[in-house]
Amino acid sequence: MQPEPAKGEPGSDTSFSRGQRLKARLIGWAGYFAISLISRTVRWRSEGDEHLEAIHRSGRRAIFTFWHGRIFPATYYWRNRGIVVMTSMNLDGEAIAQCIQRFGYGVARGSSSRGGLRALAQLSRDIQGGKDAAFTIDGPRGPRYVAKQGPVLLAYKSGAAILCFHISMKRRIQLRSWDEFQIPLPFTTAIVLKAPPIWVPPNATEEQLRALHEQMQKVLDELRIRGDAWFA
């Protein structure tokens, strides 16, 4: 588990009451046990591993980009790699941080609505320090399956490559939530699809950044459609 941040640093829970901090920790532990118990029974398959290998061989880092509704399987699949994840600064984000840190993730606190620039700056520093980063690209509150600009801006600033991926499961529970949150059923099969990296030139114009954002959206949509049809 990553050490808890000092008070006043991004990721600290000093803005919450004692009761809220306790609630977040309990939810974090519950999520950790649930994800561990179920996901270790999943039969994992993957396609596109060479794309991540190519990024790392180039000496660069990856910015993992995926949909919010696949947090459950993604947390287990990418565990213990030191990936730094942006999580929102609200109580839900605190509970998520408490959970994923136990899987070996780092945390940068912020979202598109609050603290986003500070979190992007921290992620950029972490990438320069040799770590990968990750975004739930339509989080924290949607709209569902609409990609935000964070990964493109971070790739522009840091030189890292955007790696879009999607996880689909043969048997799962889908919640009636804004993000269509999915939980794999025990002993199911899951496919992890990884797309070729998206590189953002260091001298990219605003028009190029918009085009790359649209490309990222298209890639994520294609991965979701292909993955969710995998077991049909």
Side-chain angles (χ1 to χ4, degrees):
M1 182 175 71
Q2 298 291 326
E4 290 190 3
K7 291 185 177 182
E9 293 182 357
S12 74
D13 55 7
T14 55
S15 62
F16 303 115
S17 68
R18 180 177 298 180
Q20 288 175 319
R21 292 197 299 270
L22 177 59
K23 180 180 179 181
R25 289 193 176 108
L26 290 174
I27 293 173
W29 274 112
Y32 171 75
F33 284 121
I35 292 171
S36 297
L37 288 172
I38 294 174
S39 298
R40 69 179 55 182
T41 73
V42 172
R43 295 183 291 273
W44 298 95
R45 300 170 59 185
S46 63
E47 184 178 288
D49 294 344
E50 67 275 10
H51 301 312
L52 178 59
E53 294 168 1
I55 294 171
H56 288 161
R57 280 200 307 270
S58 73
R60 304 291 184 89
R61 306 312 301 178
I63 302 171
F64 296 88
T65 306
F66 66 109
W67 299 122
H68 195 277
R70 301 305 192 275
I71 287 177
F72 193 111
T75 297
Y76 187 83
Y77 183 80
W78 296 110
R79 68 195 185 281
N80 297 327
R81 296 170 181 256
I83 300 169
V84 183
V85 181
M86 180 184 283
T87 63
S88 60
M89 299 180 71
N90 58 23
L91 192 59
D92 289 345
E94 179 63 24
I96 291 173
Q98 291 286 338
C99 176
I100 66 175
Q101 284 177 315
R102 293 180 171 88
F103 284 101
Y105 292 87
V107 175
R109 300 302 297 276
S111 67
S112 57
S113 59
R114 181 184 173 200
L117 292 178
R118 184 178 67 180
L120 283 174
Q122 181 185 338
L123 288 172
S124 182
R125 291 192 297 270
D126 289 331
I127 288 172
Q128 298 302 325
K131 296 182 179 180
D132 294 322
F135 283 85
T136 52
I137 191 62
D138 52 347
R141 297 293 183 186
R144 180 176 67 243
Y145 302 143
V146 176
K148 295 183 172 67
Q149 294 182 330
V152 175
L153 296 177
L154 181 59
Y156 173 70
K157 183 177 179 63
S158 67
I162 300 170
L163 182 81
C164 300
F165 75 91
H166 184 76
I167 301 178
S168 293
M169 295 156 284
K170 185 175 183 179
R171 295 185 297 115
R172 73 272 182 190
I173 298 171
Q174 181 167 303
L175 304 184
R176 293 183 179 179
S177 56
W178 71 264
D179 57 352
E180 295 183 341
F181 193 89
Q182 292 190 1
I183 300 172
L185 289 173
F187 304 102
T188 191
T189 300
I191 180 68
V192 186
L193 301 176
K194 309 174 185 78
I198 298 173
W199 295 95
V200 179
N203 58 347
T205 64
E206 289 188 14
E207 183 178 355
Q208 287 175 309
L209 293 177
R210 285 194 296 270
L212 289 167
H213 180 215
E214 293 173 359
Q215 179 184 349
M216 180 179 66
Q217 174 76 55
K218 181 180 179 182
V219 170
L220 287 163
D221 287 338
E222 291 174 347
L223 289 176
R224 177 172 58 86
I225 292 170
R226 186 157 61 96
D228 291 354
W230 194 273
F231 302 106

